[in-house]
């Protein structure tokens, strides 16, 4: 029996919501996505990637221009590729594959996702461990493997905590992550500002900068020198553009972020990814690179082996411990959760909690190996190479097939077990992509482009031979009936779930909000500005820097206490409003 036939008599209300398109009344406006992408892409990885560009030997001019172009291309990719398909189907990629790609393709795809999310989770927990190790006076981990048993124990302990949270309390972590975004943005910027005078003093003997050109000269002479960690000429403009574009290839070309953008009212909200790309992947990467270079100079180590914990400590003092631990955990936990979901899809008979524990055990082991977080850029690029062909296949079905008169859901209509054209296309593209990498014809950061194009062409040709251009009258009728019933169900949901968002306008809430904004964000920003622009000599610089360190840690504590309080009050007011509305409706 085909999937369509199975759904023909199944009540829509009894189906898992994840298997249905998102109803219109649950969609969000641009503000939701501006905050969402800002929180997800200003994270612990920024410390690692910023330093990686220094170690790879990029020049300052290539960084300023290349990161701007590359991140602009990433934003355009989200807007023009991911968002239109997400808004059109209102499905996550995982659900789309389950409905249209048979059994084997989703299983293999989810298996690949498990490996990718496990690597990212382990890397982020290792980043957190590099901050905690400073508290216990554990030496820096300069080797690819753990060289200190205590560091391995710290990483394992942090992993266990993250796994337990992903197992039980992911919702709390998600809420906590939403309030971290503005603070992370301020602190990443402040860290670079605090260390710039020290860098400038080592080069010119002065602690102040007179103009932006002074900053460019400073960064070019001390940070982005064009010479890599081996003392050889480094990467150029095209590589910098490629790294920035490819860092999230699996999310835009690979369509993984359909899961997020299916909630967008309009596809143009894909442009809201700019908060993550232009701040997290532009300003934060450059700031992290400045912090990493200054820290390497202080510690007399290569920037390639300086840990994020050291960088944050020297840039932000005690607050640095907080930023690395929080940024690491808030990135690791959602990826652990995703890894658990993907693993459950591979082993559907096993409960999500159990597979999450198994996946977590692997993360516990891998988090002790520093080479994983130091390889995060290649990991992200190769992850894109693996997953991008699936994005090309889905794009072909949604945009190319209708223009050719093919059925976008032909496999579902035909009712065969596996989508062999998709499986064959994916295999061909993997051989092609990694084959190009082996013979080294083009930089590996650009391998996703020809691979993606090949997937579209190959799948279109193979699907036609398999019957995508044919008609399936009975199945199409059942499919139309299914969509009609979904629309009726969504209309009923809209009537029962229609809730007006009520803002808390009480004086107490306004006071709470003013406290976390002014004390938690404005004061640290002012103090960082003072360090950068009001330190005429080394003595004044050290005085201003110590004041920044001493005050910012207390500002951070106040910020999180009051921001969390604000969040809980807003939720309480909304719940009270909904309860009152339900009582009125009952009467």
């Amino acid at each position: 029996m085909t999937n369509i036939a199975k759904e023909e008599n199944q009540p829509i209300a009894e189906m898992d919501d994840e298997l249905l398109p998102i109803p219109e009344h649950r969609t969000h406006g641009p503000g939701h996505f501006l905050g969402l992408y800002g929180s997800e892409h200003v994270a612990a990885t920024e410390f690692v990637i910023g330093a990686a560009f220094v170690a790879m030997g990029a020049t300052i001019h290539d960084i300023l221009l290349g990161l701007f172009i590359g991140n602009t291309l990433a934003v355009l990719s989200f807007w023009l590729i991911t968002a239109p398909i997400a808004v059109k189907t209102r499905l996550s990629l995982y659900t789309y594959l389950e409905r249209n790609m048979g059994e084997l393709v989703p299983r293999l795809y989810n298996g690949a996702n498990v490996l990718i999310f496990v690597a990212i989770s382990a890397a982020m927990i290792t980043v957190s461990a590099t901050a905690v190790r400073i508290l216990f006076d554990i030496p820096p981990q300069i080797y690819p493997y753990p060289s200190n048993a205590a560091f391995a124990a710290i990483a394992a302990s942090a992993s266990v905590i993250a796994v337990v949270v992903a197992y039980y309390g992911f919702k709390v972590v998600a809420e906590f992550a939403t309030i971290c975004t503005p603070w992370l943005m301020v602190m990443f910027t402040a860290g670079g500002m605090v260390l710039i005078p020290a860098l400038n003093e080592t080069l010119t003997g002065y602690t102040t900068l007179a103009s932006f050109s002074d900053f460019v000269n400073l960064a070019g002479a001390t940070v982005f020198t064009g010479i890599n960690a081996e003392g050889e000429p480094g990467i150029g403009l095209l590589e910098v553009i490629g790294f920035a574009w490819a860092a999230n290839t699996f999310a835009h070309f690979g369509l993984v972020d359909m899961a997020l953008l299916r909630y967008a009212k309009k596809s143009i909200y894909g442009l809201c990814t700019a908060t993550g790309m232009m701040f997290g992947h532009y300003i934060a990467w450059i700031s992290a690179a400045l912090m990493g270079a200054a820290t390497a100079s202080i510690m007399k180590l290569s920037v390639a082996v300086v840990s994020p914990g050291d960088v944050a400590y020297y840039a932000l003092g005690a607050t640095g411990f907080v930023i690395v631990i929080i940024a690491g955990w808030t990135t690791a936990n959602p990826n652990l959760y995703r890894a658990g979901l993907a693993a459950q899809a591979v082993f559907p008979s096993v409960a999500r909690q159990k597979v999450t524990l198994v996946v977590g055990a692997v993360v516990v082991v891998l988090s002790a190996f520093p080479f994983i977080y130091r390889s995060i850029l290649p990991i992200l690029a190769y992850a894109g190479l693996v997953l991008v062909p699936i994005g090309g296949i889905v794009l072909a079905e949604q945009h190319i097939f209708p223009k050719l008169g093919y059925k976008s859901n032909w496999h579902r209509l035909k009712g065969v077990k596996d989508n062999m054209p998709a499986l064959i296309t994916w295999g061909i593209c993997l051989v092609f992509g990694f084959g190009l990498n082996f013979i080294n014809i083009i930089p590996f950061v650009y391998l996703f482009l020809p691979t993606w194009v090949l997937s579209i062409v190959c799948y279109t040709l193979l699907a036609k031979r398999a019957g995508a251009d044919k008609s399936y009258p009975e199945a199409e009728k059942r499919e139309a009936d299914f969509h009609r019933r979904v629309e009726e169900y969504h209309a009923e949901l809209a009537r029962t779930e229609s809730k007006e968002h009520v803002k808390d306008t009480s004086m107490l809430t306004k006071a709470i909000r003013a406290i976390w904004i002014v004390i938690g964000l404005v004061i640290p920003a002012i103090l960082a500005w003072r360090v950068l622009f009001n330190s005429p000599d080394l003595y004044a610089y050290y005085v201003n820097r110590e004041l920044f360190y001493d005050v910012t840690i207390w500002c951070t504590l106040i910020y999180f206490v009051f921001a969390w309080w604000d969040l809980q009050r807003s939720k309480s007011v909304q719940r009270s409003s909904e309860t009152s509305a339900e009582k009125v409706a009952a009467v």
Side-chain angles (χ1 to χ4, degrees):
M1 184 182 292
T2 68
N3 287 334
I4 297 175
K6 289 178 182 178
E7 292 169 350
E8 184 176 5
N9 298 313
Q10 183 179 4
I12 299 296
E14 294 180 6
M15 294 184 64
D16 187 339
D17 270 1
E18 280 296 313
L19 299 178
L20 299 174
I22 294 299
E24 186 68 27
H25 69 277
R26 291 182 185 173
T27 57
H28 298 284
H32 174 82
F33 298 97
L34 289 169
L36 185 66
Y37 277 93
S39 64
E40 183 172 353
H41 294 281
V42 184
T45 46
E46 287 26 288
F47 284 108
V48 184
I49 295 174
F53 282 114
V54 180
M56 290 187 293
T59 68
I60 181 61
H61 294 93
D62 287 346
I63 283 292
L64 292 175
L65 181 59
L67 289 185
F68 179 78
I69 295 173
N71 284 305
T72 298
L73 289 171
V75 172
L76 293 175
S77 300
F78 278 115
W79 172 35
L80 300 175
I81 296 174
T82 318
I85 297 175
V87 170
K88 180 182 179 182
T89 64
R90 295 291 181 200
L91 297 172
S92 70
L93 179 62
Y94 309 104
T95 302
Y96 186 95
L97 297 183
E98 287 288 339
R99 290 175 67 84
N100 296 296
M101 297 295 158
E103 297 180 7
L104 193 54
V105 170
R107 290 233 178 155
L108 292 174
Y109 180 85
N110 282 299
N113 272 273
V114 171
L115 297 177
I116 292 165
F117 291 140
V118 161
I120 295 174
S121 300
M124 294 306 97
I125 292 170
T126 311
V127 167
S128 294
T130 65
V132 179
R133 69 142 187 94
I134 298 174
L135 299 175
F136 296 94
D137 200 28
I138 297 171
Q141 301 299 288
I142 62 175
Y143 299 107
Y145 52 85
S147 58
N148 185 285
F151 176 82
I154 289 172
S157 300
S159 301
V160 169
I161 295 172
V163 172
V164 171
V165 170
Y167 183 89
Y168 286 112
F170 176 72
K171 184 177 180 181
V172 175
V173 175
E175 290 180 350
F176 184 67
T178 62
I179 67 177
C180 293
T181 304
W183 179 80
L184 285 170
M185 289 181 173
V186 169
M187 290 304 158
F188 264 103
T189 306
M193 295 170 69
V194 166
L195 289 183
I196 283 175
L199 272 176
N200 195 45
E201 199 278 334
T202 61
L203 179 67
T204 67
Y206 299 99
T207 54
T208 57
L209 299 173
S211 63
F212 181 72
S213 63
D214 283 352
F215 165 75
V216 173
N217 292 334
L218 169 67
T222 60
V223 183
F224 298 108
T225 62
I227 303 299
N228 65 23
E230 287 74 39
E232 300 174 352
I235 60 175
L237 177 63
L238 287 178
E239 285 83 2
V240 174
I241 293 172
F243 272 114
W245 196 8
N248 279 277
T249 315
F250 65 93
H252 45 73
F253 271 74
L255 301 182
V256 166
D257 272 13
M258 281 175 62
L260 302 179
L261 292 169
R262 60 181 166 153
Y263 288 95
K265 288 184 182 297
K266 302 175 182 178
S267 62
I268 197 172
Y269 296 165
L271 291 174
C272 294
T273 57
T275 54
M277 301 303 106
M278 290 306 180
F279 190 92
H281 293 185
Y282 188 75
I283 294 175
W285 280 358
I286 294 173
S287 183
L290 292 170
M291 290 188 277
T295 302
S297 176
I298 293 169
M299 298 181 67
K300 301 188 185 314
L301 288 173
S302 166
V303 71
V305 297
V306 171
S307 74
D310 292 315
V311 172
Y313 173 71
Y314 282 106
L316 299 165
T319 306
F321 295 129
V322 182
I323 191 173
V324 175
I325 292 170
I326 286 178
W329 272 350
T330 56
T331 308
N333 273 287
N335 280 297
L336 260 172
Y337 183 73
R338 290 167 180 157
L341 289 175
Q344 186 191 23
V346 178
F347 304 101
S349 61
V350 183
R352 182 194 67 81
Q353 289 85 351
K354 290 184 179 180
V355 293
T356 299
L357 290 179
V358 175
V359 167
V362 178
V363 171
V364 168
V365 175
L366 293 181
S367 64
F369 291 83
F371 83 90
I372 295 178
Y373 86 78
R374 292 194 185 117
S375 305
I376 193 67
L377 264 178
I379 287 174
L380 293 175
Y382 287 124
L385 185 58
V386 171
L387 301 182
V388 153
I390 297 297
I393 289 169
V394 176
L395 181 135
E397 285 196 340
Q398 291 300 312
H399 290 315
I400 307 296
F401 282 20
K403 291 180 173 62
L404 298 176
Y406 300 176
K407 299 293 187 297
S408 293
N409 56 345
W410 70 272
H411 173 265
R412 183 172 163 78
L413 295 172
K414 190 173 182 180
V416 294
K417 182 179 179 181
D418 284 307
N419 188 328
M420 292 309 296
L423 192 62
I424 294 170
T425 295
W426 195 10
I428 291 173
C429 288
L430 290 179
V431 172
F432 174 77
F434 284 97
L436 282 180
N437 183 57
F438 178 75
I439 59 180
N440 199 25
I441 293 179
I442 60 175
F444 78 92
V445 289
Y446 287 106
L447 293 175
F448 73 92
L449 279 174
T451 303
W452 180 71
V453 172
L454 177 64
S455 69
I456 294 172
V457 174
C458 189
Y459 182 67
T460 301
L461 295 175
L462 291 176
K464 182 181 186 299
R465 294 186 62 183
D469 60 338
K470 293 181 171 56
S471 295
Y472 304 91
E474 292 186 9
E476 289 175 42
K477 183 179 178 181
R478 290 195 297 267
E479 181 83 341
D481 180 65
F482 172 74
H483 285 294
R484 178 187 57 76
R485 290 191 293 131
V486 169
E487 289 176 2
E488 292 173 353
Y489 174 64
H490 284 173
E492 180 62 29
L493 282 181
R495 286 190 290 271
T496 59
E497 293 182 349
S498 181
K499 298 168 184 174
E500 182 181 354
H501 181 71
V502 179
K503 291 184 178 180
D504 183 0
T505 58
S506 66
M507 290 304 297
L508 176 58
T509 297
K510 290 180 179 178
I512 293 170
R513 197 161 297 159
I515 288 172
W516 67 256
I517 291 174
V518 174
I519 297 180
L521 302 177
V522 176
I523 290 178
I526 291 174
L527 291 175
W529 183 275
R530 178 184 174 88
V531 174
L532 179 59
F533 294 106
N534 196 25
S535 299
D537 52 46
L538 273 180
Y539 175 76
Y541 168 67
Y542 287 127
V543 169
N544 290 336
R545 190 182 71 177
E546 289 305 314
L547 178 64
F548 172 83
Y549 289 165
D550 294 340
V551 174
T552 299
I553 185 62
W554 293 106
C555 291
T556 293
L557 177 62
I558 291 170
Y559 172 84
F560 281 108
V561 170
F562 281 82
W564 183 258
W565 189 4
D566 186 4
L567 177 64
Q568 298 310 308
R569 282 185 61 82
S570 297
K571 290 169 58 181
S572 177
V573 168
Q574 187 65 29
R575 284 195 298 268
S576 298
S577 172
E578 291 169 5
T579 301
S580 300
E582 289 170 1
K583 289 180 179 179
V584 171
V587 173

